[in-house]
Amino acid sequence: MFRTALRNVLAHKARLLMTVLAVMLGVAFVSGTFVFTDTVSKALSDQSRKSYDGVAVSVTQFGPGRTEDGTKEEGEPGISQQTLDKVARLNGVDSVAGRVSGFAGVPDRRGKLIGTGWANQGANFAPVKDGKDPRYAFTAGHGPAKADEIALDKASAKTGGYSIGDKVRVATNGPVKEYTLTGVFGTEDGAVNAGGSLVLFEAKVAQELYLAPGYYSELAVAAKPGADAAKLLAEVTPVVGKHAKAETGAALAERNAKDIEKGMDGMKTGLLGFGFIALFVSIFLIYNTFTMLVAQRTKELALLRAVGATRSQVRRSVLSESLLVGVVASVLGLGLGVALAVALRSAMDGFGAKIPAGPLVVSPAAVITALVVGLVVTVLAAWLPARRTAKIPPVAAMGSAHLPQSAKSLVVLNSFGGVLTAIGFGLILMGSSKGGETGRWIIGGGAFFTLIGVAVLIPMLSRPLIAVVRPLLTRVFGVAGNLAARNAVRNPRRTGVTAGMLTIGLTLVTGLTVLGVTVGKAVDRSTTDQIRADYMLSMAGGGDLDPSVLTALEKTPGVSAVSAQQSAYFKGADGTFHSASGVNPAALDKVVNFKVVSGSVAGLAQGQVAVADKTAKKAGLSVGSTVEASFDGGAKKSLKVAAIFEESELVSPYVLDARQIPVETGEKPQIRQVFVKMAGGESQANEQKVIDALGDNPAIKIEDKQDIRNEMGGIISTMLNLMYGLLGMALVISVLGVVNTLAMSVFERTQEIGMLRAVGLDRGRVKNMIRLEAVVISLFGAVLGVGLGTFLAWALGRTFKASIPNYELVIPFDRIGVFLLLAAVVGVLAALWPARSAARLNMLTAIKTE
C-alpha cells in the first residue's frame, strides 16, 4: 500500500503542487521566525557579553537617593568620585572607569538630527591607566580631554560628514552647544546599532549634563591578573553602600543576555501566531485537495477494496500520500525559512537597524518544530478525506460516478458548525461586555470558535447566497454567467472550503483595519481637537525639555501664550500615587481646549487644583474639596479643588500651577511638552521664530496640528501595514487554494466541458465561465470575511472604549470596497491558468474522458 501511495503521489504531482506550496509557505514562516529571532538574540546577547569583557565587577546606581526597592531616601545623586577612589584602592582592583550617560543629538550638515531620537546617546570618555577607554576603539584621533571637545561614533561622523577638527553642534536637554571633534570610534553600542548616535564628552562635562558634578551612575571595575571576581565583589559591595548594586561582570552580562532572549521571545510568539494562521488556512487547501483526489479516484480505490484491501489499508494509503507531501513541503519550507531569515536580517541592516555580526543560528528546535508542524498539519487535514475513502464499498468499482455525500452527514456537519458558531458569538458578546484585557482574551477564544463554525457552515450558506447573484450574472454574462453560478454551488463543500480560506484572511484584515481606523480617529479627536496652541514642542529623544526653553519662548516676539505640561507625582491621603500636570494658569485656556464641568480654573493661580471628572467621581471630590498631596522630597500641600474638568489626553487627572510643584535641589522640572500660541497663527514665519528662539536645536520637535495628526496616523498606518504584511502569507495561500480548486475542478469536469464545447459554447465563454466561478467564490468568502471582521472589531473596540476618550466605531467603507475589489481581482487572476486549460481542451478527447 505504501508503494501504491508513492505511485499516486508521483502520478498527481501537478495536482499536489499547490498543497506543497501552501505547506511550504506556512512552514517557512514558522522556521524563519525561529531562525531569525534565534540569530538576532544570539548576536545581541554576544554583543552584551562582549561589552562586559574585562569588567570583573559592575556597580550601578539605583537612582538619586533611592535604594534597591525603589524607596526614596536622603542620599547622594550618584556614585561619588570619593567612592570610586575607595574602590580603586581595594586589593585586586586594576582600574575603575566611572560612567554617566543621557540624551545627546547631533545634526548633519543640513541641520537634521542624525538617528531616531530615542537612540541618540551621550556618555563620558573614561580613560584608564593606559589613557584609553576599553569600551571604545578609536579609528581616528583621540578621546575628548577638554570641556569643548567630543568624539563621535564612526557611523554618525560619516552620516554628518564630519572630520577631525570640525566644529559640531550637539543638542542635549539644554541649549545647543558647539564642540570640536577630536576623535572617531567604533562601537557595538546597542543604541548606535539601532540607528542612533553616540557622543563622548569629557567626564566633567558629561556629569554636569546628565547627573551632578563629581558623580557617576555606573562603575566598571577591572581586576588584576589572577584576582577572583567573587572575592572582589564581596569587597566592593560594602564600599558602594545601599544606594547602588554591585554584581560581577559575568553575572550582569548573563542577566542582560537573558533579558534580550526574553524580549525576543515576545517577538517570536507574535510572529509564530501569524505563521500558524497561515498553516491553519493551509489545512483548508489540503483538505480540499485530498477530498477532490479521492473523489476522482473512487473507482480505483473501490477496486483496491474489491481485490482484498481492507479499510485501514486504504485509509493508510491516503494518509501515506499526505505524509509524503508533508515531508517534501516541510523540508522545502525549512530551507525557505532559513533564506527568509537571512533576507530579513539584511533588510533590517538596510533600514538602519544594524544587527551585530554573528553566526546564523539554526537550532534543533527550529528544525524539529518546522518538520513536525508541517507533517501534523498535512496529515491532520488529510485525515477526514482518508476516513471517507475507507468507507467506499467495493461495489462502487462497477461504476464511475462519485458517491454523493449522505444527507445525514450534512445534517451532522451543519449542526456541529451551528453549535460552534453560537458558542463563538456568545463568547465574543461576553468579552465585549466584560471589557479590559480579560474581555479581549475571551473575544479571541470566541473568534476561534466562530471562524471554525462559519467554515463548517459555509457550504450550507453558499447555495442561498450565491443564488441571489445568479440572475445578475445571467443577465450580464448570459450562459457563461448562469453556468458559473451553477458550478459554484454544485459542490457546496468544495466551494465552502475554498471560500473559507479567504474568509479567514479577510476577517483578520478587516478587523485590524476597522479597529486601526477607529482608534486613529479617536486619538486624533483626543489630541489635535483639544489643542488650541499653534505648536507643540517636545524632545526628539522622549526626554524632558530644559526650563530654558520656556524662558526663551516667553521673550520671543509674536508669542501670545506659552505653557508647559510639567509632569509630577504625589501620594494622596489614602497612600496611592497620582499623576499631576503643572501648567501656566494664565495661558491654559489659550493653548488647550480645557472643558470645565464645574468651578473655575482661575483658582489655579491661587495654588488650587483642578481634577478630571472621572477621577473626581471615583475619589468623591467636588469643587471646594481638599486634596492632601505628598510630593517627592517630603513636601506636603493641601490643595483645594477649584474646578472639575472633562478628562483630557493632554493633561493628567490633576492639574495645578507649575509653580506649586516642588522641585528638589539639583533636579530639573519634568517638562514633557510646551504649547505655544502665536499671534497670526500657524505660518512658516512664526515657526521660524520658534526655531530661532530655541537656537535651531535639532533635538526639539516643533509640531503643528497637522504634524501631530501625521505622526499619530503614521504610527497606526505602520502597524496596519506590518499586520497586512504578516497576514499576507495566509492570503497568498488562500489564492493558491482558489487556483487549486479550479484547476482540479476543470480536470474533474473534462467530459462536461467537452460536451459544452460540442453544443456550441465557444472558448471565450468557457474562459468566462471559469473566471466568473472564481470571482463568485472569492467574493462570497470576502463578503463573509468583511462581515465577521467588522463584528470582531466592534467587539474588541468596546474593550478599549473606557481607556480611549471619544471612541466611536468607524467603518472605513473605502478600504472595505478595496478589499472586495481585490477579492474579485484575486478570483480573476486565480482563474487564468484553469480557464486557459479548460478552453484549450480538445472537445472530442474530452467527451471520451471518463
Side-chain angles (χ1 to χ4, degrees), residues 640-712:
K640 184 179 179 181
V641 177
I644 305 296
F645 66 92
E646 190 175 305
E647 188 175 19
S648 170
E649 288 291 300
L650 296 178
V651 293
S652 299
Y654 292 86
V655 176
L656 63 159
D657 191 333
R659 293 172 296 182
Q660 295 296 320
I661 299 177
V663 179
E664 295 183 59
T665 304
E667 294 188 7
K668 294 180 178 180
Q670 298 178 356
I671 301 175
R672 309 302 295 177
Q673 293 104 18
V674 171
F675 298 100
V676 183
K677 185 73 174 176
M678 303 290 293
E682 297 176 12
S683 68
Q684 189 172 353
N686 278 339
E687 184 173 345
Q688 190 60 48
K689 287 180 182 179
V690 176
I691 293 171
D692 294 340
L694 301 174
D696 194 13
N697 192 326
I700 298 179
K701 291 195 299 183
I702 303 172
E703 300 174 294
D704 58 24
K705 289 183 181 180
Q706 190 57 49
D707 292 331
I708 297 171
R709 287 191 178 97
N710 293 341
E711 184 176 2
M712 296 297 179

Side-chain angles (χ1 to χ4, degrees), residues 505-686:
L506 278 173
T507 295
L508 298 174
V509 168
T510 302
L512 287 171
T513 301
V514 173
L515 198 59
V517 171
T518 300
V519 171
K521 294 290 185 183
V523 171
D524 186 49
R525 285 192 293 268
S526 299
T527 51
T528 55
D529 289 357
Q530 296 184 24
I531 297 176
R532 290 178 176 171
D534 298 311
Y535 300 103
M536 184 180 78
L537 280 56
S538 60
M539 290 297 295
D544 298 325
L545 289 159
D546 192 82
S548 61
V549 170
L550 279 173
T551 305
L553 289 170
E554 287 168 352
K555 296 178 181 179
T556 302
V559 174
S560 59
V562 59
S563 175
Q565 201 281 82
Q566 181 178 330
S567 298
Y569 295 89
F570 67 85
K571 185 165 66 174
D574 59 353
T576 58
F577 283 89
H578 306 279
S579 62
S581 291
V583 300
N584 177 2
L588 184 61
D589 279 340
K590 298 176 183 177
V591 298
V592 175
N593 188 12
F594 200 74
K595 299 179 181 178
V596 177
V597 177
S598 61
S600 171
V601 295
L604 297 183
Q606 282 77 50
Q608 298 177 5
V609 65
V611 186
D613 50 1
K614 292 182 180 179
T615 302
K617 183 178 180 180
K618 186 176 180 181
L621 298 173
S622 60
V623 175
S625 300
T626 301
V627 176
E628 299 296 335
S630 297
F631 293 88
D632 279 348
K636 295 184 178 181
K637 290 180 179 288
S638 294
L639 303 170
K640 184 179 179 181
V641 177
I644 305 296
F645 66 92
E646 190 175 305
E647 188 175 19
S648 170
E649 288 291 300
L650 296 178
V651 293
S652 299
Y654 292 86
V655 176
L656 63 159
D657 191 333
R659 293 172 296 182
Q660 295 296 320
I661 299 177
V663 179
E664 295 183 59
T665 304
E667 294 188 7
K668 294 180 178 180
Q670 298 178 356
I671 301 175
R672 309 302 295 177
Q673 293 104 18
V674 171
F675 298 100
V676 183
K677 185 73 174 176
M678 303 290 293
E682 297 176 12
S683 68
Q684 189 172 353
N686 278 339

